Amino acid sequence: YSSTLSESQKKLLSNYITSFEDNGIDLKVFLNEEIHRLKDSLNTLKNNDTIKNDNILNQKLDQVFTVLEETAKTHVDSKTVELVLNVQKLVEEMEEDVS
């Protein structure tokens, strides 16, 4: 997976794997920071001129933002990790497209 996963995805998976050793504390801290970073990235993307003019894309980004906010309040499990991995990939691809 070294060629298909981004560094942030690798860090998340690493934290998830080792979370069983410390009762998930490091994973929770990492996820809180990562969700905050992803929400900041989404806000930055929404301010891009190309995206700003696309109402449908803006609505979809708002939905992703809302899901991240709700995820930050839930119990961390494999579905949470999978969701964050997907959002990481989405943000990464969108950032590449707008640059």
Side-chain angles (χ1 to χ4, degrees), residues 62-80:
D62 285 339
Q63 289 174 348
V64 173
F65 192 91
T66 301
V67 167
L68 283 175
E69 284 184 329
E70 292 170 2
T71 300
K73 301 172 189 172
T74 63
H75 174 71
V76 177
D77 59 10
S78 61
K79 290 198 181 286
T80 305

Side-chain angles (χ1 to χ4, degrees), residues 23-40:
N23 225 9
I25 295 171
D26 286 341
L27 176 61
K28 290 174 189 173
V29 170
F30 179 82
L31 272 176
N32 282 334
E33 292 171 357
E34 186 63 6
I35 287 172
H36 181 73
R37 182 189 74 78
L38 290 169
K39 288 175 15 182
D40 285 347

